[in-house]
């Protein structure tokens, strides 16, 4: 995980918006992955009403009393539950945000949060995870295809092994309450994700920013029904540096409580993550060693 702490001036360039249903998508995706490490997707197959229902259920969770949220506090070495964002432990200052993580079925913790009334939350979160996972797999195959690679030959961990997925997915809900002094606080400090890719629904408030060309912060203007794709550290490794992981951050504001969802997609812990063989030759030696 890479992080920097300095703030610098922000400009308003547009993060590419790509219609992934169109044949030209491959070239646009490759270009965005090389230049930005991020892009926005439309024509993605996730119904619009599911965006608003997911946001509504996330808001419902964060508006619970603190004692109740602490019933599902994430243990220090745990993955799921309520608490600060995972990156918070790498920074000396507290961030102006809270988070809630799920992996697979959300039922166990949801039952503790709402004794009677957890069914709708679970139904919506399960639908969101299922739709986003299908979409991510499509996007990863476009990314690989844009480099002349395929799932089957080149990234075998995508295949089912003994009927099981070789990937893991984590859904993180983020909440950024209104902040009385936004210039002196940060919702999420600059970081890269350690996933292969992350799919972000940023809500309709303009507080997500990506770092472009190592020199400026670019605000990602929210557009209804658009999802943001962030490349993570593992994508930079498997693409042998062709694609880059994106540094991003969440700022906060005085007047609106923002909620976002981040869906992290990565191979299982025991999968060897290495630059893909077809991307390595004498002109392009491997830039990274195996992670396990
Ligand atoms: O809230 C956002 O827009 C960004 C969230 C994020 O970067 C993360 O959860 O890793
Ligand atoms: Fe992130």
């Amino acid at each position: 995980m890479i992080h920097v702490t300095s703030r610098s001036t922000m400009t308003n360039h547009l993060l590419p918006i790509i219609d992934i249903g169109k044949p030209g998508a491959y070239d646009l995706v490759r270009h965005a992955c090389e230049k930005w490490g991020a892009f926005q997707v439309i024509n993605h197959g996730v119904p619009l009403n599911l965006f608003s229902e997911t946001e509504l259920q996330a808001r419902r969770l964060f508006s619970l009393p603190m004692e109740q949220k602490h019933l599902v506090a994430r243990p220090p070495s745990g993955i799921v539950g309520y608490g600060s964002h995972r990156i918070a432990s790498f920074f000396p200052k507290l961030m102006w945000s809270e988070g809630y993580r799920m992996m697979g079925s959300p039922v166990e913790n949801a039952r503790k949060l709402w004794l009677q009334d957890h069914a709708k939350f679970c139904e919506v979160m399960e639908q969101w995870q299922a739709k986003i996972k299908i979409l991510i797999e499509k996007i990863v195959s476009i990314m690989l295809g844009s480099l002349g690679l395929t799932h089957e030959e080149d990234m075998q961990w995508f295949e089912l092994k003994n009927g099981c997925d070789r990937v893991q997915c984590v859904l993180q809900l983020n909440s950024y309450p209104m902040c009385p002094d936004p210039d002196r606080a940060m919702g999420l400090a600059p970081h890269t994700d350690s996933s292969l890719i992350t799919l972000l629904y940023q809500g309709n408030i303009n507080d997500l920013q990506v770092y472009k060309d190592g020199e400026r912060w670019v605000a990602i203007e929210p557009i209804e029904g658009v999802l943001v794709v962030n490349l993570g550290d593992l994508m930079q490794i498997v693409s042998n540096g062709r694609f880059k992981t994106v540094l991003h951050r969440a700022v906060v504001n005085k007047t609106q409580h923002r909620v976002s969802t981040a869906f992290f997609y990565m191979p299982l812990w025991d999968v060897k993550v290495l630059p893909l063989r077809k991307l390595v030759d004498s002109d392009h030696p491997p830039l990274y060693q195996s992670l396990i």
Side-chain angles (χ1 to χ4, degrees), residues 14 33 39 48 60 64 85 114 135 149 156 188 208 212 219 266 275 288:
L14 196 61
C33 293
F39 56 95
L48 207 52
R60 196 175 146 226
L64 289 170
H85 197 280
W114 299 281
L135 173 59
L149 305 167
Q156 283 171 6
L188 268 191
L208 169 66
K212 177 86 178 18
M266 60 221 122
Y288 308 94

Side-chain angles (χ1 to χ4, degrees), residues 187-202:
L188 268 191
H191 66 282
T192 60
D193 294 342
S194 44
S195 55
L196 186 73
I197 72 172
T198 306
L199 232 89
L200 266 176
Y201 165 48
Q202 57 164 329

Side-chain angles (χ1 to χ4, degrees), residues 69-81:
K69 291 187 274 192
H70 276 158
L71 294 175
V72 295
R74 197 181 64 235
S77 57
I79 294 177
V80 300

